[in-house]
Amino acid sequence: MSENSNANRTDTYWASLQVDELTPSLNDKIDQYYRWLERAGRRTLWATAYEMYNQALINGGEINYAGDQGEYHVLRVNQIRNILKHLVNLTINQRPSFEPRASNTDARSQKQTKLARSLLDYYMRDKRLERHIRAALEAAALYGEGFVTVTWEPEDGEVIGRDPESGIEVKQGDIAYRSYEPMDVVRDPALTSFGQNTWLCVKTFRNRWDLVARFPEHRDAILAEPTFRNVNRNFKLYTDTILPNTDLIETWEFYHSRTAALPDGRYTMFLYGGGALLDSSLPYSEVPVYRLSADDVGGTPFGYGTIFDLLPIQEAIDNLYSTITTNQQTFGTQLIAVPKGADVTPEQLTEGLTAVLYNPGPGGGKPEPLQLTATAPEIFNHLQKLERVAETIGGINSVVRGEPPNAGMSGAAMALLQSQAVQFVQGLQSSYVQLLEDTGTATIQTLRDYAITDRVVAIVGRANRSNLQAFTGKDLSSINRVQVDVGNPMTRTTAGKLQIAQDLLQNKIIKNAQEYLSVLETGNLETLTEGTENELLAIRAENEALAEGKSIRALLTDDHPTHILEHKAVLSDPMIRDDAALMEAAMEHINEHWTIWSNPQNAGILGALGIAPAPQQAAPAAPSGTGVPQPGPQDANGMAESMQPSLPSLPAGATPVEGAAVTQVPGQG
């Protein structure tokens, strides 16, 4: 780019330029980013981390040879990969649980939270969000940070019609997830934290012919774009090699958040050499690029990876293993020293050994083994120390790696070491959970904004049943954020699951063998609480309807005592107490529950449902003066008078204070 490029203009904010001027500015930003990575040494650091982590790609899975005559054996023992894999597995071994939060607590909003939870589980499972989250996590462990984008792809989903002019199929569209490494996310390296970013450029390789079909008006520019343009920006082996017969080309997406300088934000998809394919205001509520990093490099917008501290240790370990291997393989075959002139021929020695002739000194003359394989014990000791240091820095001890320090270590001691490893990954796990929350919230918000047609997805219910549920974005209008709960570690061990199942069985929360086995196998308690949760949701919906004066029908299978207690909240509302019609509707519904509950003919079914029998409607007459109300006729609302509150009676023998009003208590003479 020339020195007079648009990126150097000072009279206009470069991000607000017309699209034909914007793309050269973006190309300048991209080039400046990669030049900075080179000068700052970060590209070299990432390349070293990649090579150390993927050593088999470098050595071909073999012992390599160095030196003038290949006399030095190069053996790489990949401790880094093993340590980082354990870090990643410790971080994600507790499957997360999405908990959508609604802006209100009404029944409609609570139903939306259930739909949102099911949708998030569906997108985690069927749309591979979980796979992209893990890829970002591994990138964070390897390069210090990883990224996931949550965008809307109009070309995905089912066909819903055709464009009347072009005849091109119109599809529903759907959520698209992609994961990225830090080389693929261009930002301003002068910022002091990643959170200060107002713009990002993200690189994606896309199929050339898919782009031609989507943007026929840009066909010539797309076809002219070279394959893997400017591959020297990348450090991976596969991008440094020209791949034959590929249709992938480099595309870029520019996201700018809504700021004072750019109130509507901006989104531009462009080719590095062919101009813009799309240009619009930012189509999302925020820049849809979400970052995962266990730690940050202070004063920079980059993350710090644990592997960075392990790289020189890994190199030293490889060198020591190579030294030992070179010595053993070079001199491992036994040599025999034979005095020169001795009456011994090589054929007389054991087959496969080598005879060495030499001039005998005083006392010599007989063949003797020549021992050259001895390696200094300091080398082995230092190697063991380096491996322990690598575990310490990586936060993964030998117990986690399946190698207890000694066979006599107690279970409590090993549990302590494991817990220390779990504590070490808390920073990485916190960022992992934050990424899940960010992508989950973005998923719901994007569906809310773009899912305008009825969509049907297969949702697996918590009771292991599959059902088809239709929804549109309006069905998610109340969801404002998503939280993530990480499961209890106790549910991740066989002993923990067994203990939970036995406790629930003892307390009669588990009612049958199927529920017991479900808890034992999964540690999941949602199957046990689903019925109660649905019952409370139905009660909340009924309360809202009663507050509006609607007539609600009670069902035989309702949990009548719970319904009656919860419906009392409607009668406690001061606004409803002033409305006779609303009070009558609420009391009528409560009486209907009472009638069904107290009917002796329903006792069998209600008992089978675990609903306690209704209180007796008749009771023995109480002695006069006890204050216990006697059963009487029903009032106008159908409630037994005995269920109405009564005033306390005076103690036996007591007389009213002179001048005090005496209230006649029902049931007393």
Side-chain angles (χ1 to χ4, degrees):
M1 294 294 172
S2 67
E3 294 299 325
N4 296 321
S5 66
N6 291 316
N8 296 317
R9 289 178 55 175
T10 58
D11 59 334
T12 303
Y13 181 35
W14 63 270
S16 64
L17 295 172
Q18 294 295 320
V19 65
D20 58 339
E21 297 180 286
L22 174 66
T23 50
S25 296
L26 292 175
N27 288 336
D28 265 352
K29 295 290 185 184
I30 294 170
D31 287 339
Q32 290 170 14
Y33 177 73
Y34 286 112
R35 285 198 297 269
W36 182 90
L37 292 179
E38 192 73 38
R39 291 194 304 269
R42 191 164 295 273
R43 181 186 184 278
T44 302
L45 177 64
W46 290 340
T48 303
Y50 177 83
E51 292 173 359
M52 287 287 191
Y53 187 73
N54 298 282
Q55 289 189 11
L57 299 180
I58 309 300
N59 58 37
E62 300 175 343
I63 294 178
N64 299 140
Y65 300 92
D68 295 337
Q69 299 178 352
E71 69 278 6
Y72 188 71
H73 297 67
V74 180
L75 175 62
R76 299 183 183 273
V77 180
N78 199 340
Q79 299 284 349
I80 278 183
R81 189 177 188 92
N82 184 274
I83 290 174
L84 292 191
K85 284 294 184 182
H86 278 92
L87 275 176
V88 170
N89 291 335
L90 272 180
T91 302
I92 64 175
N93 70 345
Q94 298 178 36
R95 190 177 183 87
S97 173
F98 286 109
E99 293 297 334
R101 297 290 189 265
S103 54
N104 299 308
T105 59
D106 58 279
R108 176 174 173 272
S109 298
Q110 295 307 307
K111 288 180 180 178
Q112 289 189 9
T113 62
K114 293 188 66 175
L115 171 61
R117 186 184 303 119
S118 298
L119 283 173
L120 289 170
D121 289 340
Y122 165 78
Y123 277 94
M124 281 284 284
R125 182 183 65 251
D126 289 9
K127 291 298 183 179
R128 303 295 187 265
L129 172 57
E130 191 170 27
R131 179 182 299 174
H132 291 288
I133 295 288
R134 183 184 180 104
L137 178 61
E138 291 182 343
L142 188 54
Y143 307 120
E145 55 187 4
F147 301 85
V148 173
T149 59
V150 183
T151 58
W152 183 258
E153 285 290 341
E155 301 302 314
D156 288 349
E158 298 179 358
V159 176
I160 59 175
R162 288 184 178 273
D163 184 276
E165 297 182 0
S166 64
I168 298 176
E169 291 181 341
V170 178
K171 297 186 178 181
Q172 283 182 325
D174 206 349
I175 299 287
Y177 303 103
R178 292 184 177 90
S179 51
Y180 297 91
E181 297 168 356
M183 284 287 289
D184 302 326
V185 181
V186 173
R187 83 259 351 221
D188 183 354
L191 300 177
T192 58
S193 70
F194 185 82
Q196 290 181 327
N197 281 298
T198 57
W199 63 269
L200 295 169
C201 275
V202 181
K203 179 179 65 178
T204 305
F205 289 106
R206 288 185 169 87
N207 184 284
R208 182 193 307 274
W209 298 104
D210 287 341
L211 291 174
V212 168
R214 183 177 175 183
F215 305 106
E217 67 276 17
H218 298 291
R219 176 185 177 90
D220 292 341
I222 295 171
L223 294 180
E225 186 72 13
T227 300
F228 287 136
R229 176 181 172 82
N230 205 3
V231 295
N232 63 342
R233 295 176 181 172
N234 304 279
F235 54 83
K236 294 182 181 177
L237 293 178
Y238 67 82
T239 56
D240 286 337
T241 304
I242 300 301
L243 300 180
N245 303 322
T246 181
D247 293 317
L248 296 179
I249 61 174
E250 182 180 304
T251 64
W252 288 88
E253 288 171 284
F254 168 65
Y255 299 97
H256 197 296
S257 58
R258 295 175 179 85
T259 64
L262 211 60
D264 295 327
R266 193 161 189 174
Y267 168 72
T268 306
M269 178 190 288
F270 63 100
L271 306 173
Y272 185 84
L277 303 177
L278 284 174
D279 185 57
S280 69
S281 59
L282 184 66
Y284 308 103
S285 59
E286 60 185 358
V287 173
V289 183
Y290 304 98
R291 176 177 178 257
L292 190 159
S293 177
D295 199 4
D296 292 324
V297 180
T300 76
F302 296 96
Y304 194 95
T306 299
I307 190 176
F308 298 164
D309 297 323
L310 296 176
L311 295 177
I313 299 176
Q314 178 65 63
E315 184 177 4
I317 289 174
D318 289 341
N319 288 338
L320 291 180
Y321 272 112
S322 297
T323 298
I324 296 170
T325 302
T326 298
N327 190 37
Q328 300 293 341
Q329 290 201 350
T330 302
F331 303 109
T333 302
Q334 185 68 65
L335 302 179
I336 301 297
V338 180
K340 200 168 185 179
D343 191 16
V344 178
T345 64
E347 290 77 12
Q348 293 174 309
L349 301 175
T350 304
E351 184 180 358
L353 299 182
T354 302
V356 178
L357 303 179
Y358 70 102
N359 292 319
K366 65 178 182 179
E368 296 178 351
L370 186 61
Q371 180 59 264
L372 300 175
T373 59
T375 302
E378 289 79 8
I379 292 181
F380 292 97
N381 293 337
H382 188 52
L383 178 60
Q384 292 177 354
K385 289 180 180 178
L386 286 176
E387 290 178 336
R388 287 197 297 269
V389 168
E391 291 178 348
T392 301
I393 293 178
I396 301 299
N397 52 60
S398 59
V399 173
V400 175
R401 302 174 75 181
E403 298 179 1
N406 56 74
M409 176 174 283
S410 67
M414 288 192 289
L416 176 61
L417 290 176
Q418 284 185 316
S419 67
Q420 289 175 337
V422 172
Q423 288 178 345
F424 182 84
V425 302
Q426 285 302 306
L428 192 61
Q429 188 174 72
S430 296
S431 187
Y432 163 71
V433 170
Q434 184 62 56
L435 180 63
L436 284 169
E437 292 181 347
D438 289 342
T439 54
T441 301
T443 297
I444 297 302
Q445 289 177 344
T446 304
L447 287 171
R448 185 180 61 196
D449 294 339
Y450 288 99
I452 58 176
T453 62
D454 284 339
R455 306 170 62 81
V456 178
V457 295
I459 298 176
V460 178
R462 279 172 282 168
N464 294 323
R465 64 179 184 274
S466 295
N467 60 80
L468 293 177
Q469 183 165 343
F471 74 95
T472 64
K474 293 186 297 183
D475 295 321
L476 301 169
S477 59
S478 297
I479 307 301
N480 56 6
R481 71 184 189 281
V482 173
Q483 293 182 345
V484 172
D485 294 332
V486 179
N488 187 336
M490 188 175 183
T491 65
R492 303 299 164 183
T493 65
T494 302
K497 294 175 184 177
L498 180 60
Q499 185 62 50
I500 291 173
Q502 290 176 344
D503 290 344
L504 294 175
L505 182 64
Q506 184 177 358
N507 290 280
K508 300 182 179 180
I509 298 176
I510 290 180
K511 304 178 182 64
N512 53 58
Q514 182 179 1
E515 292 179 347
Y516 181 86
L517 292 175
S518 175
V519 173
L520 184 59
E521 292 174 359
T522 68
N524 192 342
L525 306 181
E526 290 183 334
T527 55
L528 306 181
T529 61
E530 185 176 28
T532 302
E533 182 181 349
N534 289 338
E535 185 91 41
L536 294 176
L537 192 59
I539 292 173
R540 180 171 295 179
E542 289 182 3
N543 283 353
E544 293 173 7
L546 292 173
E548 297 174 0
K550 296 179 181 179
S551 178
I552 304 296
R553 179 185 176 187
L555 301 179
L556 173 60
T557 55
D558 285 340
D559 187 346
H560 301 288
T562 302
H563 274 253
I564 291 174
L565 288 174
E566 295 296 330
H567 292 329
K568 179 184 175 183
V570 178
L571 301 177
S572 300
D573 190 335
M575 299 294 293
I576 294 179
R577 288 198 173 199
D578 293 337
D579 192 320
L582 294 180
M583 286 288 290
E584 182 177 355
M587 287 301 303
E588 181 179 351
H589 181 69
I590 291 175
N591 279 320
E592 186 177 3
H593 278 294
W594 170 256
T595 301
I596 296 174
W597 186 23
S598 60
N599 189 339
Q601 297 180 354
N602 299 331
I605 295 179
L606 296 179
L609 295 174
I611 299 174
Q616 294 294 323
Q617 292 182 318
S624 177
T626 62
V628 179
Q630 303 301 309
Q634 294 186 341
D635 61 13
N637 291 320
M639 293 284 288
E641 289 185 2
S642 60
M643 297 181 63
Q644 302 296 332
S646 61
L647 297 175
S649 62
L650 295 175
T655 58
V657 176
E658 184 176 356
V662 178
T663 302
Q664 183 68 33
V665 179
Q668 298 186 22

